Amino acid sequence: MSSNKVIHAIYNDDDILMDAVKQTRKAHHHIEEVFTPFPVHGLDKAMGLAPTRLAICAFIYGCIGLSVATAMMNYIMITDWPQDIGGKPSMSYIQNMPAFVPVMFEMTVFFAAHLMVITFYMRSKLWPFKEAENPDVRTTDDHFLMEVAVKDNEEELTSFLRNTGAVEVKVIEKH
């Protein structure tokens, strides 16, 4: 058998799927992907996926937002067009900083949120007008699909996945 075959095991319950993922990993079969209609808590850990580094990106993006806010307010309110607003001094940024805190906070959140969305789409390779890669339309409604790589063990793997509680097992030729 060639290595471009995969088996699609379809489950109708997330708890059965979790047990099947654990059994499949314990039996040293390679899980290519799991498709679910909603996020399943703990599935990433059960699949052995590395923890995400997106939180680091969020922190960096927040720092960039804070820096942009600080530079923007210093230039606009102190350097370029200083104004006497409510009798507050406009000679230095530090003297006015308490009034700038809300803007600093909002720009930090704005940059972190928007750049995180862009990062997520780029990391997930979700471009505009991209074709869906969902192998079975039922996984958007109420079924769960585990895609397992076949390596000269098609018969054994098919019966193994049936025994894990799969309601349907199909061998698919991947392109």
Side-chain angles (χ1 to χ4, degrees), residues 25-167:
R25 293 230 332 129
K26 191 174 180 181
H28 302 292
H29 298 298
H30 178 66
I31 300 172
E32 295 282 336
E33 188 65 80
V34 176
F35 297 88
T36 64
F38 53 83
V40 177
H41 180 71
L43 184 60
D44 53 340
K45 195 173 217 167
M47 288 178 64
L49 299 177
T52 180
R53 295 184 303 264
L54 287 177
I56 297 167
C57 292
F59 177 75
I60 292 169
Y61 297 153
C63 290
I64 292 169
L66 182 64
S67 300
V68 167
T70 303
M72 177 188 76
M73 289 182 298
N74 185 57
Y75 177 73
I76 293 170
M77 299 301 289
I78 307 301
T79 307
D80 185 44
W81 197 274
Q83 300 176 45
D84 183 2
I85 300 172
K88 294 186 182 194
S90 57
M91 284 70 79
S92 77
Y93 183 83
I94 297 298
Q95 289 176 309
N96 287 284
M97 200 166 103
F100 295 157
V101 168
V103 176
M104 292 161 50
F105 171 76
E106 292 298 333
M107 289 290 281
T108 300
V109 172
F110 178 86
F111 269 67
H114 286 79
L115 292 175
M116 281 302 296
V117 168
I118 292 168
T119 301
F120 172 75
Y121 283 141
M122 289 174 59
R123 184 72 181 96
S124 301
K125 296 182 177 86
L126 291 174
W127 316 116
F129 312 110
K130 183 177 189 276
E131 281 289 320
E133 294 179 11
N134 193 347
D136 193 315
V137 72
R138 294 175 291 177
T139 60
T140 62
D141 188 21
D142 62 350
H143 282 70
F144 305 83
L145 186 142
M146 180 168 52
E147 190 175 273
V148 183
V150 176
K151 291 186 177 62
D152 296 329
N153 58 350
E154 187 176 317
E155 300 299 322
E156 176 224 331
L157 194 53
T158 303
S159 65
F160 172 80
L161 291 170
R162 276 201 173 82
N163 291 335
T164 63
V167 294

